[in-house]
Amino acid sequence: MPEAHTRTPRERYRTQVRAEIKEHAWEQIAAAGASALSLNAIAKRMGMSGPALYRYFAGRDELITELIRDAYRSLADTFKEAADAGADLAGLAHALRAWALADPHRYFLVYGTPVPGYHAPEDVSEIASETMAVILDACAALPSDAPAAPFDAHVDAHRQWADGPPPPAPALHRALVFWTRLHGVLSLELAGHFTGMGFDPALLFAAELDDLSEH
Amino acid sequence: MPEAHTRTPRERYRTQVRAEIKEHAWEQIAAAGASALSLNAIAKRMGMSGPALYRYFAGRDELITELIRDAYRSLADTFKEAADAGADLAGLAHALRAWALADPHRYFLVYGTPVPGYHAPEDVSEIASETMAVILDACAALPSDAPAAPFDAHVDAHRQWADGPPPPAPALHRALVFWTRLHGVLSLELAGHFTGMGFDPALLFAAELDDLSEH
DNA sequence: AAGATTGTGCGAGAGGGTATCACCGAGCGC
DNA sequence: GCGCTCGGTGATACCCTCTCGCACAATCTT
């Protein structure tokens, strides 16, 4: 993290404390999950009183939203870095897997059980589409020898995109398949649904990736 | 639900109240998610005092565990019914999708973000393996013209199964692919990650299923 | 039928959580 | 240097889980 060269010392202190709060929040999430995040506990660990944190975050929801935003941002940056380094789909897949394994709770903050009342702010879905754009670019770079499945025709018929021109149907299909298959393996692995089955999830991930490349 | 032919009227009353509590719990989960489940709120809605519920469930954890158990049981029964009705893999897939869409929160109780401290009781993982067994049976019934991927060799080398003889590697591989791919589409759809992309998730699900059948 | 027993619900209360409030004190901009 | 804004605190209200002792009613036993 580069030194935020903010104007006043107060602002600098403020951003610093905010960052420290988020750090403790991540630790707490790693220890007991996002639902057990407690502002009070964070305050106590920082040697502050409970209500003091409300000077920095409007409430628990805002803090969690910020963490979610950071998680999305981190994933998008990871993908962009990999793409800038010339990674193809396999490279992106490995970057995704490494990112997920590095902090499973961060992964679940992005792709885990949604909270019914919660609606992600605008910029979060924007960051999500950044991530999707990287995958789409990698897919568009591939020859489209796919036999034009009925799904592609459907996409062609219903294409509507948040902003900008919609991607070609085969590339979108490929990107969706990439995304959903890898997420399928990763999320079940991280949730521990493969334990006791006696195989290495990494190899199942690799097998799915191979199948994606051949197809 | 068949009338539980319990002996004493008291036992009958007890099971009835327990069932009613669970019903209200499901409603509350549907409204605000599992993390917001409140014994107090359930008690108030049932016209009882807070502590009264502790006569029926040892605590919040036990209630949630019971709900999770019911969810697993419901999924396993759905699969078994479909299999008994002669469903092939496609039939199982549609049964799974229908089950998931009927109550997304139930799906996330099974396959959603895990709670760090929580460990599923023995019988829950047993029910989970019942579900897996149905998929495996359907996979074993298919001709294995797969080209013996390296993953299959790995499974052959490391086969160890909870109980009973381990399944043949190609069938297990097929079952895992079936499971992970459909879960990948379903979980992202239910979590709302496809909203705003302008395509019908059902068709993506169908496309993945087609690919599974061809392969 | 009457007593003993067991199950059931209740109020009180401990302990912890979110969030708001008025109130200080210290550092900052002028 | 002065005023003002910002950061921190204790008090407080309200919610939650969960425990305890007590009262009441239904059941079982004699």
Side-chain angles (χ1 to χ4, degrees):
Chain A
M1 304 187 189
E3 307 289 308
H5 219 267
T6 49
R7 260 198 282 295
T8 77
R10 278 207 153 140
E11 262 183 64
R12 227 159 55 171
Y13 180 72
R14 185 176 181 76
T15 60
Q16 153 112 22
V17 173
R18 270 179 76 98
E20 195 176 339
I21 291 173
K22 288 204 266 181
E23 232 170 89
H24 285 265
W26 279 115
E27 284 172 23
Q28 211 170 336
I29 284 181
S35 59
L37 204 162
S38 153
L39 290 191
N40 234 320
I42 293 175
K44 261 171 202 162
R45 244 201 235 178
M46 291 177 64
M48 301 203 316
S49 191
L53 286 206
Y54 287 80
R55 299 283 183 197
Y56 300 94
F57 291 94
R60 213 182 90 109
D61 276 11
E62 195 187 288
L63 175 56
I64 291 188
T65 298
E66 193 79 9
L67 296 177
I68 291 177
R69 193 196 323 273
D70 286 359
Y72 270 92
R73 177 82 272 150
S74 163
L75 176 58
D77 289 348
T78 300
F79 264 26
K80 280 184 177 173
E81 274 174 33
D84 286 349
D88 57 349
L89 273 186
L92 290 184
H94 285 123
L96 171 65
R97 183 177 165 79
W99 182 84
L101 291 182
D103 192 343
H105 301 93
R106 192 177 46 181
Y107 186 88
F108 282 117
L109 224 49
V110 172
Y111 290 123
T113 309
V115 180
Y118 182 78
H119 265 292
E122 196 58 33
D123 57 329
V124 168
S125 34
E126 235 171 74
I127 302 175
S129 64
E130 281 180 35
T131 306
M132 194 63 184
V134 175
I135 303 178
L136 272 169
D137 279 353
C139 288
L142 263 63
S144 67
D145 57 343
F151 179 74
D152 294 33
H154 161 75
V155 167
D156 261 329
H158 294 80
R159 55 170 55 189
Q160 59 177 37
W161 209 244
D163 47 47
L172 177 56
H173 189 183
R174 214 184 176 94
L176 287 172
V177 167
F178 174 86
W179 186 22
T180 58
R181 289 190 189 176
L182 298 189
H183 166 72
V185 176
L186 266 180
S187 77
L188 288 176
E189 173 189 359
L190 295 180
H193 285 280
F194 294 153
T195 55
M197 287 196 180
F199 67 88
D200 185 359
L203 292 181
L204 179 59
F205 186 87
E208 283 295 85
L209 187 53
D210 278 354
D211 195 86
L212 277 169
S213 307
E214 287 173 15
H215 167 61
Chain B
M1 304 187 195
E3 307 289 308
H5 217 267
T6 50
R7 258 195 265 297
T8 78
R10 278 210 149 135
E11 261 182 64
R12 229 161 51 174
Y13 179 74
R14 186 176 180 76
T15 60
Q16 152 114 19
V17 173
R18 269 179 76 99
E20 195 176 339
I21 291 172
K22 287 205 267 182
E23 232 171 88
H24 284 265
W26 280 116
E27 284 173 22
Q28 211 171 336
I29 283 182
S35 59
L37 203 162
S38 153
L39 290 190
N40 234 321
I42 293 176
K44 261 172 202 160
R45 244 205 234 177
M46 291 178 64
M48 302 204 318
S49 190
L53 285 206
Y54 286 81
R55 299 281 183 198
Y56 300 94
F57 291 95
R60 212 180 91 109
D61 276 10
E62 194 186 289
L63 175 56
I64 291 189
T65 298
E66 193 80 8
L67 297 177
I68 291 177
R69 193 195 324 273
D70 286 358
Y72 270 92
R73 177 83 272 149
S74 163
L75 176 58
D77 289 349
T78 301
F79 265 25
K80 279 184 178 175
E81 274 174 34
D84 286 349
D88 57 348
L89 272 186
L92 289 183
H94 285 123
L96 171 64
R97 183 176 165 81
W99 183 83
L101 291 181
D103 192 343
H105 301 93
R106 192 178 45 180
Y107 186 89
F108 282 117
L109 225 49
V110 172
Y111 290 123
T113 309
V115 179
Y118 182 78
H119 266 291
E122 196 58 33
D123 57 330
V124 168
S125 34
E126 236 171 73
I127 302 174
S129 64
E130 281 180 35
T131 307
M132 194 63 186
V134 174
I135 304 178
L136 272 169
D137 278 353
C139 288
L142 263 64
S144 67
D145 57 342
F151 179 73
D152 294 33
H154 162 74
V155 167
D156 261 329
H158 294 79
R159 56 169 56 189
Q160 59 177 37
W161 209 243
D163 46 48
L172 177 56
H173 189 183
R174 215 186 174 94
L176 287 172
V177 166
F178 174 87
W179 186 22
T180 57
R181 289 189 188 175
L182 298 188
H183 166 72
V185 176
L186 266 180
S187 77
L188 289 176
E189 173 188 0
L190 295 180
H193 285 281
F194 294 153
T195 54
M197 286 195 181
F199 66 89
D200 185 358
L203 293 181
L204 179 59
F205 186 86
E208 283 295 85
L209 187 53
D210 279 355
D211 196 85
L212 277 169
S213 307
E214 287 173 14
H215 168 60

